Amino acid sequence: LGDLFGSGMANMLILALVDLMPPRREVLRRATLDHALAACLAIALSAIAATALLAPSGRLVAGVSVESIVLLGAYLLGTRAVYRHAMRDFGPAQAAPGSSEGSAPDGTPTLGRALIGFAVAALVTLAAAPAFARAAKDIAELTGLGQTFVGTWLVGLATSLPELVASVTAVRMGAFDLAVGNLLGSNAFNVSILIWVDLAYPGGSIFVDASPTHVLTVVFGIILMALGLAAIVYRAKKRFAMLEPDSALIVLTYALAIWMLYLRRGG
């Protein structure tokens, strides 16, 4: 759980750092308002998860807690709404003919090659995950920091490194919406896959037996996403010359969250 919830915080930290890194591209300011719906979905799912952690029902359906089923259903409905909103202005005329076969005239990879490359990268990450989890468990035990803190901070940050690379690459290509959508979409998806974690915990509910500290992580994740959403919606023309105040606030809030989680590492 620390990994999933910690990744949400780490993703917002990455979004702020990408916005602040030179040369400043004002990623949050230049992202379209369409991301507001995705941000609201991630915030809503996180709020449901926090409620489930605070007041778990303990009820199981086919070995899965009711809360996990609700989260998955909310994610599917919310994703459908986000998809329909994003596609409302998309028409056949905008589709590039022959984009899925042959070679693009400017040397751009075809859709098939892009999908294969994406699948290979995803499989490599999947294969490395078990060894990564075991190493994180050893670090938590040997350092005495506890699995909750290590999972939230170290594992959450480390598993967000692919998002960091993808977002930096997207910004360098000028695809600001891809960078923002990558991080916000990851936050929503991370909460939805709690059902698989629940399935790996037979005979009980992860929400009943989870550490109460995870609620603090989820709450800070909501705060960070709310700050990111405000930065996207806020369209003031005059900005500070040397610093983006919204992104700097996200970084400071993340640091405060990690400090508070460190103080509660024994809880």
Side-chain angles (χ1 to χ4, degrees):
L1 292 183
D3 174 23
L4 296 178
F5 296 139
S7 293
M9 291 174 48
N11 285 343
M12 298 313 300
L13 173 66
I14 290 171
L15 184 57
L17 294 177
V18 169
D19 195 37
L20 291 170
M21 71 179 188
R24 279 175 40 210
R25 303 292 185 91
E26 296 182 337
V27 176
L28 291 172
R29 184 185 181 189
R30 298 172 66 175
T32 64
L33 294 176
D34 290 344
H35 295 294
L37 188 58
C40 289
L41 173 60
I43 291 172
L45 290 173
S46 298
I48 296 173
T51 304
L53 288 168
L54 283 171
S57 67
R59 296 182 179 179
L60 303 178
V61 177
V64 180
S65 62
V66 173
E67 292 85 351
S68 295
I69 298 175
V70 171
L71 283 169
L72 179 61
Y75 172 77
L76 293 176
L77 291 175
T79 301
R80 183 174 182 271
V82 172
Y83 172 78
R84 293 186 64 182
H85 178 74
M87 296 296 291
R88 71 192 189 284
D89 297 325
F90 186 83
Q94 293 176 273
S99 58
S100 60
E101 56 182 336
S103 299
D106 59 353
T108 303
T110 62
L111 176 59
R113 290 178 58 189
L115 290 175
I116 293 174
F118 182 87
V120 171
L123 287 174
V124 170
T125 304
L126 185 64
F132 186 80
R134 286 192 292 270
K137 182 176 181 294
D138 292 340
I139 292 175
E141 294 175 351
L142 293 173
T143 60
L145 291 175
Q147 295 181 18
T148 299
F149 179 74
V150 171
T152 302
W153 172 57
L154 187 60
V155 179
L157 192 60
T159 53
S160 293
L161 291 179
E163 278 87 352
L164 172 62
V165 176
S167 298
V168 170
T169 303
V171 169
R172 288 178 176 175
M173 294 189 303
F176 304 111
D177 289 322
L178 179 62
V180 176
N182 166 44
L183 296 168
L184 292 176
S186 176
N187 283 2
F189 180 74
N190 284 344
V191 180
S192 73
I193 60 177
L194 282 172
I195 190 169
W196 300 108
V197 181
D198 218 351
L199 284 170
Y201 187 65
S205 169
I206 56 172
F207 296 98
V208 173
D209 297 332
S211 168
T213 306
H214 291 302
V215 178
L216 185 63
T217 305
V218 179
V219 169
F220 267 107
I222 293 174
I223 295 173
L224 290 171
M225 286 186 284
L227 291 174
L229 173 60
I232 293 172
V233 175
Y234 186 61
R235 301 285 173 168
K237 293 183 179 180
K238 188 175 181 180
R239 313 283 281 188
F240 287 95
M242 299 301 295
L243 189 66
E244 292 290 336
D246 36 30
S247 298
L249 184 58
I250 291 176
V251 174
L252 291 175
T253 304
Y254 178 86
L256 174 63
I258 294 301
W259 172 246
M260 292 185 65
L261 289 170
Y262 175 77
L263 294 179
R264 290 181 56 87
R265 65 192 183 279

